[in-house]
């Protein structure tokens, strides 16, 4: 079994595969006392290719232990050379774990995508269902057999439901669709109807849909392929009518307003929390779009976000914040009281490891600054910069001058609630990622960045005026990330530049 070798760019507290390529998280669930995380995986190299399902488990959402590959592309319905076992989900029924995925095959020159199922009694060894595919094709005239993927299966009442993403009219010029299916036994599925039509507003292709209850509402989550601004994950909050296949939207937003947060998938854990994890990159990072950075030299490529908890705000918008388990791996490093930040840069100590959590609390009644800038991954004039504009009540993330390679869409901006008396921001910096969360998850952004190795400094600066802050900087335990021992068999407002 492969183990992770710590290299200069490999993240400390974000999940990466032991070796090779990783993208979408799959089958995020809790089974027999462990959190299970599957993921799109190429174990043979650092480029996207024929997909397998990698597999890891954890007791605390932070220390992950690798298990053997869960799904191999080895059947006629899932063995296409540029496809394999695509993304999907997991659901527990009795003492058995079922995973649903998209199998890709080729009939002549036509790529065919269908929904398939496998199951496991121990959570490690999976057997593919003899009746696959369980859903062979999308409804006639409403979807494309070559773009029909990413099943998410849930239970509501005594029925099981599956949402699947698709398009009508083509990837770049069509209109996104999410279809709904129903089953009594997870094996026989009946088409219910179209749950969502994008009608030209969101995307030409809906990927990785998710559907879940939150409070007295339902949330429909999906990722936008070939969207206008950027590939991203969006949500709609409203009411769900399963009988009539109708989702009534009340509010919408983005789950993360940054550049690199895609294919998000949720689960309900034993503590009653709705958790979410995503691919912490985007398709623009593929080699034929842009240089992916230097990680291929370290024999890995791609990472997943640190798990977050989703809650529903009083305004009907989602709040997303790192799970509380993050605090168990952090220890105090540097604490400051009432720093006065001016237009002259103030450098504060950051861990040499390049991985840390920075928290800043600002009393807005005492603030006299127009803008507060946080320079991360800094060295000389280079930095990935977070800018908080108190006059416009906006916050931005700018990596345009923080990377060794050219990056399209290098700056993004969104609004925050400026009516509160205080402003809080948590900044998570890892070896090659920068992300932040405003006011306990009111808004946030994530980006991947590959600076020169010496670019690890941290500074604060205002545009004009004085900002009094109380920053607290902590870093993960030096034991992170763990090696991979064997596991017992039991076991919206947005602008982008």
């Amino acid at each position: 079994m492969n183990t992770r070798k710590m290299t200069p760019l490999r993240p400390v507290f974000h999940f990466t595969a032991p070796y090779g390529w990783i993208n979408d998280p799959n089958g995020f669930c809790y089974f027999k006392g462990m959190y299970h995380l599957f993921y799109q995986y190429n174990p043979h190299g650092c480029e996207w290719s024929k997909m397998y399902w990698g597999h890891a488990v954890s007791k605390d959402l932070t220390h992950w232990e690798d298990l053997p590959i869960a799904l191999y592309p080895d059947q006629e319905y899932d063995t296409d050379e540029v496809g394999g076992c695509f993304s999907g989900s997991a659901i527990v029924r009795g003492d058995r774990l079922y995973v649903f995925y998209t199998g890709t095959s080729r009939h002549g020159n036509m790529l065919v995508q269908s929904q398939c199922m496998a199951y496991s009694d121990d959570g490690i060894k999976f057997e593919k269902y003899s009746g696959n595919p369980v859903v062979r094709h999308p409804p006639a005239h409403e979807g494309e057999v070559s773009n029909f993927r990413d099943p998410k299966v849930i239970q509501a009442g005594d029925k099981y439901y599956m949402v699947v993403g698709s398009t009508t009219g083509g990837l770049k010029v069509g209109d996104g669709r999410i279809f709904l299916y129903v089953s009594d036994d997870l094996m026989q599925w009946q088409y219910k109807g179209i749950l969502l039509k994008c009608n030209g507003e969101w995307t030409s292709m809906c990927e990785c849909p998710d559907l879940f209850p939150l409070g007295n509402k339902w949330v429909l989550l999906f990722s936008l392929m070939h969207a206008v601004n950027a590939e991203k994950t969006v949500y709609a909050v409203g009411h769900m009518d399963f009988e009539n296949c109708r989702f009534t939207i009340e509010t919408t937003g983005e789950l993360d307003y940054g550049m690199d947060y895609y294919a998000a998938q949720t689960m309900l854990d034993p503590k009653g929390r709705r958790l979410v994890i995503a691919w912490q990159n985007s398709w623009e990072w593929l080699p034929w779009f842009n240089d992916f950075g230097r990680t291929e030299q370290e024999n890995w490529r791609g990472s997943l976000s640190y798990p977050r908890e989703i809650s529903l705000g009083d305004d009907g918008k989602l709040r997303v914040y790192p799970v509380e388990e993050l605090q168990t791996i952090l220890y105090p490093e540097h604490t400051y009281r009432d720093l006065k930040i001016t237009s002259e840069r103030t450098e504060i100590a950051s861990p040499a490891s390049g991985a840390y959590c920075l928290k800043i609390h600002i009393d807005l009644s005492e603030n006299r600054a127009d803008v507060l800038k946080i320079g991360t991954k800094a060295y000389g004039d280079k930095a990935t910069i977070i800018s908080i504009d108190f006059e416009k009540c906006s916050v931005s993330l700018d990596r345009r001058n923080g990377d060794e390679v050219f990056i399209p869409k290098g700056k993004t901006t969104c609004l925050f609630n400026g009516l509160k008396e205080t402003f809080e921001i948590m900044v998570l910096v890892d070896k090659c990622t920068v992300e932040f969360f405003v006011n306990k998850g009111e808004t946030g952004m994530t980006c991947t960045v590959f600076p020169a190795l010496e670019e690890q400094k941290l500074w604060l600066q205002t545009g004009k005026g004085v900002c009094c802050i109380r920053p607290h900087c902590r870093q993960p335990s030096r034991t992170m990330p763990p090696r991979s021992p064997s596991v017992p068999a039991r076991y919206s407002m947005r602008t982008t530049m």
Side-chain angles (χ1 to χ4, degrees), residues 267-451:
M267 64 161 287
L268 185 68
D269 83 341
K271 298 179 181 179
R273 301 179 298 179
R274 177 60 58 172
L275 307 180
V276 63
I277 194 167
W279 181 33
Q280 199 157 276
N281 297 103
S282 68
W283 288 115
E284 290 177 322
W285 289 100
L286 281 172
W288 49 88
F289 282 109
N290 189 51
D291 186 355
F292 201 97
R294 305 182 307 277
T295 67
E296 184 176 14
Q297 301 168 14
E298 300 180 359
N299 296 317
W300 67 274
R301 179 173 275 164
S303 61
L304 301 185
S305 65
Y306 188 80
R308 304 172 185 179
E309 181 177 358
I310 300 178
S311 59
L312 189 63
D314 294 337
D315 57 359
K317 298 282 188 176
L318 296 188
R319 303 289 188 264
V320 187
Y321 202 65
V323 295
E324 61 184 4
E325 285 84 346
L326 176 66
Q327 302 305 316
T328 67
I329 65 167
L330 299 174
Y331 65 90
E333 183 71 7
H334 297 284
T335 302
Y336 302 85
R337 290 192 177 184
D338 300 325
L339 274 182
K340 292 184 177 181
I341 306 302
T342 68
S343 58
E344 297 292 326
R345 287 183 182 175
T346 299
E347 186 173 314
I348 64 176
S350 63
S353 67
Y356 55 88
C357 173
L358 172 70
K359 289 185 178 180
I360 293 177
H361 181 277
I362 300 171
D363 186 337
L364 294 180
S365 66
E366 299 178 358
N367 177 56
R368 300 296 179 267
D370 57 345
V371 175
L372 175 65
K373 296 181 179 181
I374 305 171
T376 69
K377 300 290 184 184
Y379 184 78
D381 293 331
K382 291 278 189 178
T384 296
I385 300 174
I386 300 166
S387 295
I388 305 157
D389 190 318
F390 298 106
E391 296 178 351
K392 296 180 179 179
C393 297
S394 68
V395 59
S396 66
L397 179 59
D398 188 349
R399 65 180 177 188
R400 293 175 298 180
N401 195 35
D403 203 295
E404 290 189 311
V405 298
F406 170 75
I407 302 176
K409 298 181 178 67
K411 181 180 179 180
T412 185
T413 302
C414 67
L415 299 176
F416 65 86
N417 184 356
L419 300 179
K420 296 183 177 181
E421 296 180 355
T422 61
F423 178 92
E424 295 182 1
I425 186 168
M426 173 196 280
V427 181
L428 290 181
V429 177
D430 212 335
K431 293 293 190 68
C432 53
T433 62
V434 176
E435 57 195 308
F436 68 82
F437 306 88
V438 171
N439 294 335
K440 303 294 185 182
E442 172 191 318
T443 192
M445 297 186 187
T446 300
C447 81
T448 303
V449 62
F450 297 97

Side-chain angles (χ1 to χ4, degrees), residues 71-231:
L71 296 180
Y72 289 79
D74 56 7
Q75 301 296 316
E76 58 87 18
Y77 52 78
D78 65 15
T79 191
D80 181 64
E81 288 299 322
V82 289
C85 300
F86 271 13
S87 293
S89 59
I91 189 168
V92 178
R93 185 186 185 200
D95 292 327
R96 177 168 284 182
L97 178 63
Y98 295 82
V99 298
F100 290 81
Y101 70 99
T102 297
T104 63
S105 60
R106 193 166 294 275
H107 297 181
N109 293 325
M110 179 180 291
L111 178 67
V112 175
Q113 298 185 344
S114 56
Q115 314 320 314
C116 306
M117 183 261 282
Y119 55 88
S120 173
D121 293 326
D122 63 6
I124 299 175
K125 297 179 181 179
F126 287 83
E127 180 176 344
K128 293 179 181 177
Y129 176 48
S130 61
N132 279 338
V134 294
V135 181
R136 289 187 174 273
H137 50 73
H141 311 299
E142 282 293 351
E144 295 185 352
V145 294
S146 57
N147 292 289
F148 175 56
R149 54 182 173 267
D150 310 333
K152 177 63 186 284
V153 175
I154 67 168
Q155 183 175 7
D158 59 353
K159 301 286 187 180
Y160 297 97
Y161 294 91
M162 175 195 296
V163 285
V164 186
S166 189
T167 181
T168 178
L171 279 181
K172 294 185 179 181
V173 297
D175 195 62
R177 293 286 187 271
I178 296 177
F179 301 125
L180 181 69
Y181 295 81
V182 63
S183 173
D184 292 321
D185 59 4
L186 296 175
M187 299 175 189
Q188 303 298 319
W189 292 88
Q190 178 184 358
Y191 175 63
K192 287 288 290 183
I194 302 172
L195 192 60
L196 179 80
K197 292 183 179 181
C198 286
N199 294 324
E201 295 184 4
W202 272 307
T203 181
S204 61
M205 174 67 198
C206 296
E207 291 198 303
C208 304
D210 199 341
L211 180 66
F212 56 91
L214 197 62
N216 62 350
K217 307 288 185 180
W218 280 83
V219 179
L220 184 60
L221 196 71
F222 55 102
S223 291
L224 311 184
M225 187 177 187
H226 299 300
V228 176
N229 288 327
E231 282 92 358

